[in-house]
Amino acid sequence: MAESILPTQSRQPAMQDGYEDEISLLDLAITLAKYKKLIIGAPFAIAVLVSIYTLFQPNIYTADTRILPPQQQSNASAMLSQLGALGALGGGSLGIKNPNDTYVAMLESRPLQNSMIKRFKLQAVYEAETLADARKTLEGVTTVTTGKDGLITVSVDDQDPIRAATLANGYIDELQKLMQVFAVTDASQRRIFFEKQLHLAKEELADAEVSLKQLQQRTGVLQLDAQAGQLMGTGQAPDIALRYIRKVRDMKYAETLYEILAKQYEMAKLDESKESTVIQVLEKAVVPQDKSKPQRSKIVLIAALATGFLAILYAFIAEALNKAKEDEEQEAQIEALKANLRW
């Protein structure tokens, strides 16, 4: 008898679990069927409303231009080695780790945006009351990105496809102008560095020349070798000779340093003139034929799916609350929750 009962008892939990799963799925299906009008009607209504809304939205066109910015060069590295530590300071330490970030920052800078606004009269186009408002609008329709390939892409959105292409190409023109003002490349920074050092060396050379001249006027010694015999008759001959040699040495040192810095300065100026014109436009912006925004079908589909999900969620929550009201204990808990949620 025991053996005949045990198999029957062991089968009961499995049958009960399967029965509960069947009831659970059936409850879900019943809930969905109960709220079918909401689940189907709400997404359809939202899709119609969003479709009508997007029809009144203006078409937006996007124009792209891609450029290859100037690469950091060190054409004067051979001559910089002549200066030792000074050359290292004027060269390697002034290099930019990621030059593309500099050009992206310049494209997004306020001076360049102001030039764009004034050049293309964008304050009137955007109906902006102030220059700051026009900059904000221009910044919102412009995207500047840099890729792993080293190329910088400038994208401009506008309702007028011709103006979109014109503005995208205008960014590159204004970048060229801005580069003439600021030292961006290695050569520009070297030129500024050596320009300052050359100015200091020129002052030191002038001071050395004046100091030597004053010594000559006080002692009357113009050429130490030629006047050595005359100096031998005075007790100050060794002192005068030592001072004269030091002044001549200081002047020659200042003169040599000035000549080296002058060569470096001219080299940096030459490199700067070469690098200032090497922005290469890989893809010039052309007038776009197709709109980029709004993507009406995509917007409608996303709105309908989101509404359908919320409708299903509402159906399950509403059904759960209805069932909870049938249970006195759960109803009391719901009332307590409502009370605690009140401010």
Side-chain angles (χ1 to χ4, degrees), residues 61-65 161-162 164-166 168-169 283-289:
Y61 298 87
T62 302
D64 302 324
T65 181
I162 298 178
T166 302
N169 292 323
E283 294 180 6
K284 189 176 181 179
V286 297
V287 178
Q289 301 298 322

Side-chain angles (χ1 to χ4, degrees), residues 9 128 137 153 208 238 243-244 247 306 322 325:
Q9 291 177 345
T137 303
T153 302
R243 285 188 292 167
Y244 185 86
K247 295 297 183 182
N322 290 334
K325 291 180 180 179

